[in-house]
Coordinates of all heavy atoms in Angstrom, one line a residue:
M79 N 37.4 -8.0 -10.6 CA 36.6 -6.9 -10.9 C 35.3 -7.3 -11.5 O 35.3 -8.4 -12.4 CB 37.2 -6.2 -12.0 CG 36.6 -4.7 -12.3 SD 37.6 -3.6 -13.1 CE 37.9 -4.3 -14.6
N80 N 34.2 -7.0 -11.0 CA 32.9 -7.6 -11.6 C 32.4 -6.6 -12.7 O 32.0 -5.5 -12.4 CB 31.9 -7.5 -10.3 CG 30.6 -8.0 -10.9 OD1 30.4 -8.6 -12.0 ND2 29.6 -7.9 -10.0
R81 N 32.3 -7.1 -13.9 CA 31.8 -6.3 -15.0 C 30.4 -6.6 -15.3 O 29.9 -6.5 -16.4 CB 32.7 -6.5 -16.2 CG 34.2 -6.1 -16.0 CD 34.2 -4.6 -15.8 NE 33.8 -3.9 -17.1 CZ 33.6 -2.5 -17.0 NH1 33.5 -1.8 -15.9 NH2 33.1 -1.9 -18.3
G82 N 29.8 -7.4 -14.5 CA 28.4 -7.9 -14.7 C 27.3 -6.9 -14.3 O 27.6 -5.9 -13.6
C83 N 26.2 -7.1 -14.8 CA 24.9 -6.3 -14.3 C 24.9 -6.6 -12.7 O 25.0 -7.7 -12.2 CB 23.7 -7.0 -14.9 SG 22.2 -6.1 -14.4
P84 N 24.6 -5.5 -12.0 CA 24.4 -5.5 -10.4 C 23.2 -6.4 -10.1 O 23.1 -6.7 -8.9 CB 24.5 -4.1 -9.9 CG 23.9 -3.5 -11.2 CD 24.4 -4.1 -12.4
L85 N 22.2 -6.6 -11.0 CA 21.0 -7.3 -10.6 C 20.9 -8.6 -11.1 O 19.9 -9.4 -10.6 CB 19.9 -6.4 -11.2 CG 19.9 -4.9 -10.7 CD1 18.9 -4.0 -11.4 CD2 19.5 -4.9 -9.2
C86 N 21.7 -9.1 -11.9 CA 21.7 -10.6 -12.4 C 23.1 -10.9 -12.8 O 24.1 -10.3 -12.8 CB 20.7 -10.7 -13.6 SG 21.0 -9.8 -15.0
W87 N 23.1 -12.1 -13.5 CA 24.4 -12.7 -13.8 C 24.8 -12.3 -15.2 O 25.9 -12.6 -15.7 CB 24.3 -14.2 -13.8 CG 23.1 -14.7 -14.4 CD1 21.8 -15.0 -13.9 CD2 23.0 -15.0 -15.9 NE1 21.0 -15.4 -14.8 CE2 21.6 -15.4 -16.1 CE3 23.8 -15.0 -17.0 CZ2 21.2 -15.8 -17.4 CZ3 23.3 -15.4 -18.1 CH2 22.0 -15.7 -18.2
R88 N 24.0 -11.5 -16.0 CA 24.3 -11.2 -17.4 C 25.3 -10.1 -17.3 O 25.6 -9.4 -16.5 CB 23.1 -10.7 -18.1 CG 22.1 -11.9 -18.2 CD 20.8 -11.3 -19.0 NE 19.8 -12.3 -19.0 CZ 19.0 -12.8 -17.9 NH1 19.1 -12.1 -16.8 NH2 18.1 -13.7 -17.9
R89 N 26.0 -10.1 -18.7 CA 26.9 -9.1 -18.9 C 26.4 -7.8 -19.1 O 25.3 -7.6 -19.5 CB 27.7 -9.4 -20.3 CG 29.2 -9.6 -20.2 CD 29.7 -10.1 -21.5 NE 29.2 -9.5 -22.6 CZ 29.8 -8.4 -23.2 NH1 30.7 -7.7 -22.7 NH2 29.3 -7.7 -24.3
R90 N 27.0 -6.7 -18.5 CA 26.7 -5.3 -18.9 C 26.8 -4.8 -20.3 O 27.5 -5.4 -21.0 CB 27.7 -4.4 -18.2 CG 27.7 -4.3 -16.7 CD 28.6 -3.4 -16.2 NE 28.8 -3.5 -14.8 CZ 29.3 -2.6 -14.0 NH1 29.7 -1.6 -14.5 NH2 29.5 -2.8 -12.7
E91 N 25.7 -4.0 -20.6 CA 25.8 -3.4 -21.9 C 26.9 -2.4 -21.9 O 27.2 -1.7 -21.0 CB 24.4 -2.7 -22.4 CG 23.5 -3.7 -22.6 CD 23.6 -4.4 -24.0 OE1 23.5 -3.7 -25.0 OE2 23.8 -5.5 -24.0
D92 N 27.5 -2.0 -23.1 CA 28.5 -1.0 -23.2 C 27.9 0.3 -22.7 O 26.8 0.6 -23.2 CB 28.9 -0.9 -24.7 CG 29.8 -2.0 -25.0 OD1 30.2 -2.8 -24.2 OD2 29.9 -2.3 -26.2
G93 N 28.5 1.0 -21.9 CA 27.9 2.3 -21.6 C 27.0 2.4 -20.5 O 26.4 3.3 -20.1
S94 N 26.7 1.2 -20.0 CA 25.6 1.0 -18.9 C 26.1 0.3 -17.7 O 27.0 -0.6 -17.9 CB 24.4 0.4 -19.5 OG 23.3 0.1 -18.5
E95 N 25.5 0.4 -16.6 CA 25.7 -0.4 -15.5 C 24.9 -1.8 -15.5 O 25.1 -2.6 -14.7 CB 25.7 0.2 -14.1 CG 24.3 0.6 -13.7 CD 24.3 1.3 -12.3 OE1 24.8 0.7 -11.3 OE2 23.7 2.4 -12.3
Y96 N 23.9 -1.8 -16.4 CA 23.0 -2.9 -16.5 C 23.2 -3.7 -17.8 O 23.7 -3.2 -18.7 CB 21.6 -2.4 -16.5 CG 21.2 -1.6 -15.2 CD1 20.7 -0.3 -15.1 CD2 21.3 -2.2 -13.8 CE1 20.5 0.4 -14.0 CE2 20.9 -1.6 -12.8 CZ 20.5 -0.2 -12.8 OH 20.3 0.4 -11.7
C97 N 22.7 -4.9 -17.6 CA 22.5 -5.8 -18.8 C 21.4 -5.3 -19.7 O 20.7 -4.4 -19.4 CB 22.1 -7.3 -18.3 SG 20.5 -7.4 -17.8
T98 N 21.2 -6.0 -20.9 CA 20.4 -5.5 -21.9 C 18.9 -5.4 -21.4 O 18.2 -4.4 -21.6 CB 20.5 -6.3 -23.2 OG1 19.6 -5.8 -24.2 CG2 20.1 -7.8 -23.0
Y99 N 18.5 -6.4 -20.6 CA 17.2 -6.5 -20.1 C 16.9 -5.5 -19.0 O 15.8 -4.7 -18.9 CB 16.8 -7.9 -19.4 CG 16.9 -9.0 -20.5 CD1 18.1 -9.7 -20.6 CD2 15.9 -9.1 -21.2 CE1 18.1 -10.8 -21.5 CE2 15.8 -10.2 -22.3 CZ 17.1 -11.0 -22.3 OH 17.0 -12.0 -23.3
H100 N 17.9 -5.3 -18.0 CA 17.7 -4.3 -17.0 C 17.7 -2.8 -17.5 O 17.3 -1.9 -17.0 CB 18.6 -4.6 -15.8 CG 18.1 -5.7 -15.0 ND1 18.8 -6.8 -14.7 CD2 17.0 -5.8 -14.2 CE1 18.1 -7.6 -14.0 NE2 16.9 -7.0 -13.7
L101 N 18.7 -2.7 -18.6 CA 18.8 -1.4 -19.3 C 17.5 -1.1 -19.9 O 17.1 0.1 -19.8 CB 20.0 -1.5 -20.3 CG 20.2 -0.2 -21.1 CD1 20.6 0.9 -20.1 CD2 21.3 -0.5 -22.2
A102 N 16.8 -2.0 -20.6 CA 15.4 -1.8 -21.2 C 14.5 -1.3 -20.2 O 13.7 -0.5 -20.2 CB 15.0 -3.1 -21.9
A103 N 14.6 -2.0 -18.9 CA 13.7 -1.7 -17.8 C 13.9 -0.3 -17.3 O 13.0 0.4 -17.0 CB 13.8 -2.7 -16.7
Q104 N 15.2 0.1 -17.2 CA 15.5 1.4 -16.8 C 14.9 2.4 -17.6 O 14.5 3.5 -17.3 CB 17.0 1.5 -16.6 CG 17.5 2.9 -16.0 CD 19.0 3.1 -16.3 OE1 19.6 2.6 -17.2 NE2 19.5 3.8 -15.3
K105 N 15.0 2.1 -19.0 CA 14.5 3.2 -19.9 C 13.1 3.3 -19.8 O 12.3 4.3 -19.8 CB 14.8 2.6 -21.4 CG 16.3 3.0 -21.9 CD 16.6 2.6 -23.1 CE 18.0 2.9 -23.4 NZ 18.5 2.1 -24.7
N106 N 12.3 2.2 -19.6 CA 10.9 2.2 -19.5 C 10.5 3.1 -18.2 O 9.5 3.8 -18.1 CB 10.3 0.8 -19.1 CG 10.3 0.0 -20.5 OD1 10.3 0.6 -21.5 ND2 10.3 -1.3 -20.4
L107 N 11.4 2.8 -17.2 CA 11.2 3.5 -15.9 C 11.3 5.1 -16.1 O 10.5 5.8 -15.6 CB 12.2 3.0 -14.9 CG 11.9 3.1 -13.4 CD1 10.6 2.3 -13.1 CD2 13.2 2.5 -12.7
L108 N 12.3 5.4 -16.9 CA 12.6 6.9 -17.1 C 11.4 7.6 -17.9 O 11.0 8.6 -17.7 CB 13.8 7.0 -17.8 CG 15.0 6.8 -16.8 CD1 16.3 6.8 -17.7 CD2 15.2 7.9 -15.8
N109 N 10.9 6.8 -18.9 CA 9.8 7.2 -19.7 C 8.6 7.3 -18.9 O 7.8 8.3 -19.0 CB 9.5 6.2 -20.9 CG 10.6 6.4 -21.9 OD1 11.1 7.4 -22.2 ND2 10.7 5.3 -22.8
A110 N 8.3 6.3 -18.1 CA 7.2 6.4 -17.2 C 7.2 7.5 -16.1 O 6.2 8.2 -16.0 CB 7.0 5.0 -16.5
F111 N 8.5 7.8 -15.8 CA 8.5 8.9 -14.8 C 8.2 10.2 -15.4 O 7.6 11.2 -14.8 CB 10.0 8.9 -14.2 CG 10.3 10.0 -13.3 CD1 9.4 10.1 -12.0 CD2 11.3 10.9 -13.4 CE1 9.6 11.2 -11.2 CE2 11.6 11.9 -12.6 CZ 10.7 12.1 -11.5
R112 N 8.7 10.4 -16.7 CA 8.4 11.6 -17.5 C 7.0 11.8 -17.5 O 6.4 12.9 -17.3 CB 9.0 11.6 -18.8 CG 10.1 12.8 -19.0 CD 10.8 12.5 -20.2 NE 12.1 11.8 -20.0 CZ 12.6 10.9 -20.8 NH1 12.0 10.6 -22.0 NH2 13.8 10.3 -20.5
D113 N 6.2 10.8 -17.8 CA 4.7 10.9 -18.1 C 4.1 11.1 -16.8 O 3.1 12.0 -16.5 CB 4.2 9.6 -18.5 CG 4.6 9.2 -19.9 OD1 5.0 10.2 -20.6 OD2 4.4 8.1 -20.4
W114 N 4.4 10.5 -15.6 CA 4.0 10.8 -14.3 C 4.2 12.2 -13.9 O 3.3 12.7 -13.3 CB 4.5 9.7 -13.4 CG 3.9 8.4 -13.2 CD1 3.7 7.6 -14.3 CD2 3.3 7.8 -12.2 NE1 3.1 6.5 -13.9 CE2 2.9 6.4 -12.6 CE3 3.3 8.0 -10.7 CZ2 2.3 5.6 -11.7 CZ3 2.8 7.1 -9.9 CH2 2.2 6.0 -10.3
Q115 N 5.4 12.5 -14.0 CA 5.8 13.9 -13.5 C 4.9 14.9 -14.0 O 4.6 16.0 -13.4 CB 7.3 14.1 -13.9 CG 8.0 14.9 -12.8 CD 9.4 15.2 -13.2 OE1 9.9 15.1 -14.4 NE2 10.2 15.5 -12.2
E116 N 4.6 14.9 -15.4 CA 3.8 15.9 -16.0 C 2.5 16.0 -15.3 O 1.9 17.0 -15.2 CB 3.7 15.6 -17.5 CG 4.7 16.0 -18.3 CD 4.6 15.6 -19.7 OE1 3.5 15.5 -20.3 OE2 5.6 15.5 -20.4
A117 N 1.8 14.8 -15.0 CA 0.6 14.8 -14.3 C 0.6 15.1 -12.9 O -0.2 15.7 -12.3 CB 0.0 13.5 -14.6
L118 N 1.6 14.5 -12.2 CA 1.6 14.5 -10.6 C 2.7 15.3 -10.0 O 2.7 15.4 -8.8 CB 1.7 13.0 -10.2 CG 0.5 12.2 -10.6 CD1 0.9 10.7 -10.3 CD2 -0.7 12.7 -10.0
E119 N 3.8 15.7 -10.7 CA 4.9 16.4 -10.1 C 5.6 15.6 -9.0 O 5.7 16.0 -7.9 CB 4.6 17.8 -9.7 CG 4.2 18.7 -10.8 CD 4.0 20.1 -10.4 OE1 4.5 20.5 -9.1 OE2 3.4 20.9 -11.1
L120 N 5.7 14.3 -9.3 CA 6.1 13.4 -8.3 C 7.7 13.5 -8.3 O 8.3 13.7 -9.3 CB 5.8 12.0 -8.8 CG 5.5 11.0 -7.7 CD1 4.5 11.3 -6.7 CD2 5.2 9.6 -8.4
E121 N 8.4 13.4 -7.1 CA 9.8 13.2 -6.9 C 10.2 12.0 -7.4 O 9.6 10.9 -7.3 CB 10.1 13.4 -5.4 CG 9.8 14.6 -4.9 CD 10.8 15.6 -4.9 OE1 11.9 15.4 -5.2 OE2 10.4 17.0 -4.7
W122 N 11.4 11.9 -8.0 CA 12.0 10.7 -8.5 C 12.0 9.6 -7.5 O 11.6 8.5 -7.7 CB 13.5 10.9 -8.9 CG 14.3 9.8 -9.4 CD1 15.5 9.6 -8.9 CD2 14.1 8.9 -10.4 NE1 16.1 8.3 -9.5 CE2 15.2 8.0 -10.4 CE3 12.9 8.7 -11.3 CZ2 15.3 6.9 -11.4 CZ3 13.1 7.7 -12.2 CH2 14.2 6.7 -12.3
R123 N 12.4 9.9 -6.2 CA 12.4 8.9 -5.2 C 11.1 8.4 -4.8 O 10.9 7.1 -4.6 CB 13.1 9.6 -3.9 CG 13.7 8.7 -2.9 CD 14.4 9.5 -1.8 NE 14.9 8.6 -0.8 CZ 14.1 8.1 0.2 NH1 12.8 8.3 0.1 NH2 14.7 7.4 1.1
D124 N 10.2 9.2 -4.8 CA 8.8 8.8 -4.4 C 8.2 7.9 -5.6 O 7.5 6.9 -5.4 CB 7.8 10.1 -4.3 CG 8.2 10.7 -3.1 OD1 8.7 10.3 -2.1 OD2 7.9 12.0 -3.1
F125 N 8.5 8.3 -6.9 CA 8.1 7.5 -7.9 C 8.7 6.1 -7.9 O 7.9 5.1 -8.0 CB 8.6 8.1 -9.3 CG 8.5 7.3 -10.5 CD1 7.2 7.1 -11.1 CD2 9.6 6.8 -11.1 CE1 7.0 6.4 -12.2 CE2 9.4 6.0 -12.2 CZ 8.2 5.9 -12.8
L126 N 10.0 5.9 -7.5 CA 10.6 4.7 -7.3 C 9.9 3.8 -6.4 O 9.7 2.6 -6.5 CB 12.1 4.8 -7.0 CG 12.9 5.4 -8.1 CD1 14.3 5.5 -7.5 CD2 13.0 4.5 -9.4
V127 N 9.5 4.5 -5.2 CA 8.7 3.7 -4.2 C 7.5 3.2 -4.7 O 7.1 2.0 -4.4 CB 8.5 4.6 -2.9 CG1 7.6 4.0 -1.9 CG2 9.8 5.0 -2.2
V128 N 6.8 3.9 -5.6 CA 5.5 3.5 -6.0 C 5.6 2.4 -6.9 O 5.0 1.4 -6.9 CB 4.8 4.7 -6.8 CG1 3.5 4.1 -7.6 CG2 4.4 5.8 -5.7
V129 N 6.7 2.5 -7.7 CA 7.0 1.4 -8.8 C 7.2 0.0 -8.1 O 6.7 -0.9 -8.4 CB 8.1 1.8 -9.7 CG1 8.6 0.6 -10.5 CG2 7.7 2.9 -10.6
V130 N 8.1 0.1 -7.0 CA 8.4 -1.2 -6.3 C 7.2 -1.7 -5.7 O 7.0 -2.8 -5.6 CB 9.5 -0.7 -5.2 CG1 9.6 -1.9 -4.3 CG2 10.8 -0.4 -5.9
A131 N 6.3 -0.9 -5.2 CA 5.1 -1.3 -4.3 C 4.1 -1.7 -5.3 O 3.2 -2.6 -5.0 CB 4.6 -0.2 -3.5
R132 N 4.0 -1.3 -6.5 CA 2.9 -1.6 -7.5 C 3.0 -3.0 -8.0 O 4.0 -3.5 -8.5 CB 2.8 -0.7 -8.7 CG 2.0 0.4 -8.5 CD 1.9 1.4 -9.6 NE 2.3 1.0 -10.8 CZ 1.8 1.3 -12.1 NH1 0.6 2.0 -12.0 NH2 2.3 1.0 -13.3
Q133 N 1.9 -3.8 -7.9 CA 1.8 -5.2 -8.4 C 2.0 -5.2 -10.0 O 2.4 -6.2 -10.4 CB 0.5 -5.8 -8.1 CG 0.2 -5.9 -6.4 CD -0.2 -7.3 -6.1 OE1 -1.0 -7.9 -6.7 NE2 0.1 -7.6 -4.9
E134 N 1.5 -4.3 -10.6 CA 1.5 -4.3 -12.1 C 2.9 -4.1 -12.6 O 3.1 -4.4 -13.8 CB 0.6 -3.1 -12.8 CG -0.8 -3.1 -12.1 CD -0.8 -2.2 -11.0 OE1 -0.6 -2.6 -9.8 OE2 -1.3 -1.0 -11.1
S135 N 3.8 -3.6 -11.9 CA 5.1 -3.3 -12.4 C 5.8 -4.6 -12.6 O 5.7 -5.7 -12.0 CB 6.0 -2.6 -11.3 OG 5.4 -1.4 -10.9
G136 N 6.5 -4.8 -13.8 CA 7.2 -5.9 -14.3 C 8.3 -6.2 -13.3 O 8.8 -5.3 -12.6
E137 N 8.8 -7.4 -13.4 CA 9.8 -7.9 -12.6 C 11.1 -7.1 -12.8 O 11.8 -6.6 -11.9 CB 10.1 -9.4 -12.5 CG 9.1 -10.3 -11.9 CD 9.0 -9.9 -10.4 OE1 9.9 -9.7 -9.7 OE2 7.7 -9.7 -10.0
W138 N 11.5 -7.0 -14.0 CA 12.7 -6.3 -14.5 C 12.7 -4.8 -13.9 O 13.6 -4.3 -13.5 CB 12.9 -6.3 -15.9 CG 13.0 -7.7 -16.6 CD1 12.1 -8.2 -17.3 CD2 14.1 -8.4 -16.6 NE1 12.6 -9.4 -17.8 CE2 13.7 -9.6 -17.2 CE3 15.3 -8.4 -16.0 CZ2 14.5 -10.8 -17.5 CZ3 16.2 -9.5 -16.2 CH2 15.9 -10.7 -16.9
V139 N 11.5 -4.1 -14.2 CA 11.4 -3.0 -13.8 C 11.5 -2.7 -12.2 O 12.2 -1.9 -11.7 CB 10.0 -2.2 -14.3 CG1 9.8 -0.9 -13.7 CG2 10.0 -2.2 -15.7
K140 N 10.9 -3.6 -11.5 CA 10.9 -3.6 -9.9 C 12.5 -3.8 -9.6 O 12.9 -3.1 -8.6 CB 10.1 -4.7 -9.5 CG 8.7 -4.4 -9.1 CD 8.1 -5.4 -8.4 CE 6.5 -5.3 -8.5 NZ 5.9 -6.3 -7.6
D141 N 13.1 -4.7 -10.2 CA 14.6 -4.9 -9.9 C 15.4 -3.6 -10.1 O 16.1 -3.1 -9.0 CB 15.2 -5.8 -10.9 CG 15.0 -7.3 -10.5 OD1 14.3 -7.5 -9.5 OD2 15.3 -8.1 -11.3
V142 N 15.2 -2.9 -11.2 CA 16.0 -1.7 -11.3 C 15.5 -0.6 -10.4 O 16.3 0.1 -9.8 CB 15.7 -1.2 -12.9 CG1 16.3 0.2 -13.0 CG2 16.4 -2.2 -13.7
A143 N 14.1 -0.4 -10.2 CA 13.6 0.7 -9.3 C 14.1 0.5 -7.9 O 14.6 1.4 -7.3 CB 12.1 0.5 -9.3
H144 N 14.2 -0.8 -7.5 CA 14.6 -1.1 -6.1 C 16.1 -0.8 -6.0 O 16.5 -0.1 -5.0 CB 14.4 -2.6 -5.8 CG 14.7 -2.9 -4.4 ND1 15.8 -3.7 -4.0 CD2 14.0 -2.6 -3.2 CE1 15.8 -3.8 -2.8 NE2 14.6 -3.2 -2.2
H145 N 16.8 -1.1 -7.0 CA 18.3 -0.9 -7.0 C 18.7 0.6 -7.1 O 19.4 1.1 -6.2 CB 18.9 -1.4 -8.3 CG 20.3 -1.3 -8.4 ND1 20.9 -0.7 -9.5 CD2 21.4 -1.6 -7.7 CE1 22.3 -0.7 -9.4 NE2 22.5 -1.3 -8.2
L146 N 17.9 1.4 -7.7 CA 18.0 2.9 -7.8 C 17.6 3.5 -6.6 O 18.2 4.5 -6.2 CB 17.2 3.5 -9.0 CG 17.7 3.0 -10.4 CD1 16.6 3.5 -11.5 CD2 18.9 3.8 -10.7
L147 N 16.5 2.9 -5.9 CA 16.2 3.4 -4.6 C 17.2 3.3 -3.5 O 17.5 4.1 -2.8 CB 14.8 2.8 -4.3 CG 13.9 3.3 -3.2 CD1 13.5 4.7 -3.6 CD2 12.7 2.5 -3.1
E148 N 17.7 2.1 -3.5 CA 19.0 1.9 -2.6 C 20.1 2.9 -2.8 O 20.6 3.4 -1.9 CB 19.4 0.5 -2.8 CG 18.6 -0.7 -2.4 CD 18.2 -0.6 -0.9 OE1 19.1 -0.5 -0.1 OE2 17.0 -0.6 -0.4
K149 N 20.2 3.2 -4.0 CA 21.4 4.1 -4.3 C 21.0 5.6 -3.8 O 21.8 6.2 -3.3 CB 21.7 4.1 -5.8 CG 22.4 2.9 -6.4 CD 23.4 3.2 -7.5 CE 22.6 3.6 -8.7 NZ 23.4 3.4 -9.9
E150 N 19.7 5.8 -4.0 CA 19.2 7.2 -3.6 C 19.4 7.2 -2.0 O 19.8 8.3 -1.4 CB 17.8 7.2 -3.9 CG 17.5 7.5 -5.3 CD 17.7 8.9 -5.7 OE1 17.3 9.9 -5.0 OE2 18.4 9.1 -6.7
K151 N 19.1 6.2 -1.3 CA 19.2 6.2 0.1 C 20.6 6.4 0.6 O 21.0 7.0 1.5 CB 18.8 4.8 0.7 CG 17.2 4.7 0.7 CD 16.8 3.3 1.2 CE 15.4 3.2 1.1 NZ 15.1 1.7 1.3
K152 N 21.6 5.6 -0.1 CA 23.0 5.7 0.1 C 23.6 7.0 0.0 O 24.4 7.6 0.7 CB 23.9 4.6 -0.5 CG 23.7 3.2 0.1 CD 24.5 2.2 -0.8 CE 23.9 0.9 -0.6 NZ 24.1 -0.1 -1.5
G153 N 23.0 7.6 -1.3 CA 23.5 9.0 -1.6 C 23.0 10.1 -0.6 O 23.3 11.2 -0.8
G154 N 22.0 9.7 0.3 CA 21.6 10.8 1.2 C 20.5 11.4 0.6 O 20.1 12.6 0.8
Ligands
ZN293 ZN1 20.5 -7.6 -15.4

C-alpha cells in the first residue's frame, strides 16, 4: 500500500493525498482559481490547462495542476 504523495517520494499529510509541499501548492492553486473565476468565469479544467502551460507557474503548482488535470480526464 502506497501512503506517499502521488507526485513525489514524500509522506502524505494527514487528511490529504499530497505531501506538505504539494498540499501547499494545491491551496495556492485553489486560491488563484477563486481570483481568476471572479474575473474570467473560467472552468476549473481550463484553469488547470492554463496553469500547466504558464511559464510563471511554480514547479510544485504545475505538478499538482497536471495531476488534477489527469484526474479530470479520467473522470470524464
Ligand atoms: Zn509531494
Side-chain angles (χ1 to χ4, degrees):
M79 193 166 68
N80 180 12
R81 298 293 297 162
C83 174
L85 298 172
C86 66
W87 49 268
R88 293 178 185 80
R89 231 170 53 85
R90 292 181 190 196
E91 285 292 290
D92 290 341
S94 169
E95 69 178 304
Y96 296 120
C97 68
T98 183
Y99 296 101
H100 282 118
L101 181 60
Q104 186 193 26
K105 281 180 187 164
N106 288 342
L107 205 57
L108 289 171
N109 285 337
F111 179 57
R112 238 171 270 143
D113 292 346
W114 275 55
Q115 211 182 18
E116 280 176 24
L118 299 170
E119 295 191 13
L120 209 60
E121 301 269 342
W122 174 235
R123 203 173 176 283
D124 294 334
F125 170 74
L126 293 175
V127 170
V128 171
V129 168
V130 169
R132 264 182 16 142
Q133 298 228 324
E134 310 92 278
S135 304
E137 286 304 312
W138 299 107
V139 171
K140 272 192 194 179
D141 279 356
V142 172
H144 190 255
H145 182 237
L146 293 172
L147 199 54
E148 288 299 309
K149 288 210 293 194
E150 288 286 311
K151 284 180 192 165
K152 280 174 200 158

